[in-house]
Amino acid sequence: MKALDFKSISKRTKIIIAAAAGVVVMAAIGAMIAIIANKHNIKTVARTKVLDGLDVLCAPNSIITDGEGGFLITDLYGKKIWRNVNGKSSVYVGADSVHDRYDEPIGGYNDATFDETLFAEPWAISPFLGGYAVTDTENNSVRLIRVEKGTQTINGESDVLEMGEYGVTFDHPTGLATDDDGNLYVSDTGRGAIRLITTEGDVETIADGLNAPTGLCYAGGTLYVAETGANRILTVKDGNLQVIAGSGEDGDKDGAAMSASFSSPQGVAVAADGTIYVGDTVNASVRRIINGTVDTILSQSDEVLETSPVSPTGVYVFEGNLYVCDYFSRMIYTLPIN
């Protein structure tokens, strides 16, 4: 078992940008289903609800299915991974840590059994090597959680990239995605790059020169990237980088994809029909890219704060629903998209 001293960490990852000042949501977990009227007057009105079972103090940032009827959720507040099954949540990986002066968990760094593992900031989660990879952003590490082997650091090996005690040196890694061959993509956010960790543990760079890339999604042979710092959505395929939405300007303009605007988007997900969903974080909205256009399907509404996001980050498509993680309001919203 490998244990390190607790780290002095920030309350939120440096690249996570707070929602607009003055917007405060203290929404009750388990809020009733409500209809959202969004500010862009979209014809299809989204019906949202809060994911059952988030009856724990949790700041969700990423969610995936575990393939066994449950969901795994990364928690930026408690520094843990939760498992939600049939409306009941329990700790999947993560130990309690000491608290700071504000009585918030500070986390730490410990590769160990599931109940002794410590994270500093578990940002995203994705399947890898028979378990799940987790980006531990403030620890600059990619962690691997497997039932039989507990938690390991898997930063990988490279003859080109800078190496440290635990392998390749990442700078605030965030988004994760897994391709059809089981390889893992990592947003090396602080270095403006996307890395690929192969199933053999080798690390390659597939894109660089980006501005704070975060959320990732792999679908149909293509990697989709939320380039947070440049307010754009990109694709990477066969070594080619392409902007598919976003003028690069900060804003919330709908319309033609290349002239539309976002504000620090941090999440991206792709449905089976090719529709792309974006967690447009600072705009407090969920955007949709379809047929070369961008529209807004869910946004902050003064009338129904309990059922609209404040700071949407991770988005995830599963069985006809879109799941939207909002660490600020401590909710996961679900929207039917079929």
Side-chain angles (χ1 to χ4, degrees):
M1 180 175 68
K2 191 162 40 185
L4 302 180
D5 291 337
F6 290 118
K7 294 187 175 184
S8 175
I9 62 173
S10 61
K11 290 181 179 296
R12 294 285 178 262
T13 302
K14 294 177 183 176
I15 55 86
I16 293 179
I17 305 172
V23 179
V24 179
V25 173
M26 295 302 292
I29 297 301
M32 297 180 64
I33 295 174
I35 296 178
I36 303 299
N38 75 64
K39 63 184 177 182
H40 294 275
N41 298 316
I42 303 305
K43 293 180 180 179
T44 302
V45 179
R47 184 180 293 270
T48 69
K49 64 179 180 179
V50 176
L51 181 70
D52 290 338
L54 278 181
D55 52 351
V56 293
L57 188 55
C58 172
N61 197 67
S62 177
I63 182 172
I64 61 169
T65 178
D66 67 358
E68 298 179 352
F71 292 98
L72 298 178
I73 301 162
T74 63
D75 175 11
L76 296 183
Y77 172 80
K79 324 300 185 188
K80 297 176 179 178
I81 311 298
W82 295 88
R83 185 168 187 250
N84 182 288
V85 183
N86 297 324
K88 296 182 179 179
S89 292
S90 59
V91 175
Y92 186 62
V93 183
D96 291 332
S97 69
V98 298
H99 287 212
D100 63 16
R101 68 174 70 180
Y102 305 103
D103 200 31
E104 293 189 6
I106 69 170
Y109 198 146
N110 190 26
D111 283 340
T113 59
F114 278 15
D115 59 352
E116 294 180 326
T117 292
L118 289 172
F119 300 100
E121 194 165 43
W123 206 93
I125 184 168
S126 190
F128 191 53
L129 295 178
Y132 299 94
V134 177
T135 39
D136 192 0
T137 304
E138 286 295 326
N139 278 327
N140 294 315
S141 298
V142 181
R143 318 283 292 279
L144 178 64
I145 56 177
R146 291 184 288 188
V147 173
E148 293 88 5
K149 297 185 178 181
T151 301
Q152 300 169 282
T153 297
I154 54 160
N155 283 23
E157 300 291 326
S158 173
D159 295 330
V160 178
L161 300 173
E162 179 184 343
M163 298 288 292
E165 181 181 358
Y166 298 107
V168 169
T169 302
F170 291 104
D171 185 352
H172 288 78
T174 55
L176 289 174
T178 306
D179 68 18
D180 297 334
D181 295 322
N183 301 306
L184 185 71
Y185 297 88
V186 183
S187 282
D188 195 356
T189 303
R191 288 192 167 90
I194 307 296
R195 315 294 187 192
L196 171 67
I197 303 179
T198 70
T199 54
E200 288 76 33
D202 297 321
V203 180
E204 306 169 9
T205 299
I206 66 162
D208 58 10
L210 304 180
N211 190 343
T214 55
L216 301 177
C217 179
Y218 186 90
T222 299
L223 182 69
Y224 295 80
V225 182
E227 190 184 12
T228 304
N231 304 306
R232 306 186 300 183
I233 306 301
L234 317 174
T235 59
V236 183
K237 184 174 184 179
D238 300 327
N240 296 315
L241 187 73
Q242 181 179 359
V243 179
I244 60 168
S247 65
E249 297 295 324
D250 187 296
D252 62 353
K253 178 184 176 183
D254 285 340
M258 298 309 296
S259 61
S261 57
F262 301 90
S263 187
S264 298
Q266 291 187 26
V268 62
V270 182
D273 65 359
T275 302
I276 303 162
Y277 297 92
V278 178
D280 196 3
T281 308
V282 173
N283 277 328
S285 63
V286 177
R287 315 287 290 282
R288 177 176 60 182
I289 306 170
I290 183 171
N291 297 327
T293 63
V294 174
D295 61 14
T296 301
I297 63 170
L298 180 65
S299 65
Q300 183 59 250
S301 168
D302 291 337
E303 291 83 15
V304 281
L305 292 177
E306 291 83 358
T307 52
S308 55
V310 176
S311 190
T313 50
V315 289
Y316 179 65
V317 173
F318 181 66
E319 293 188 344
N321 288 302
L322 177 69
Y323 295 83
V324 181
C325 293
D326 186 344
Y327 72 87
F328 190 89
S329 67
R330 295 178 174 173
M331 288 188 177
I332 297 176
Y333 301 96
T334 66
L335 294 77
I337 56 175
N338 284 352

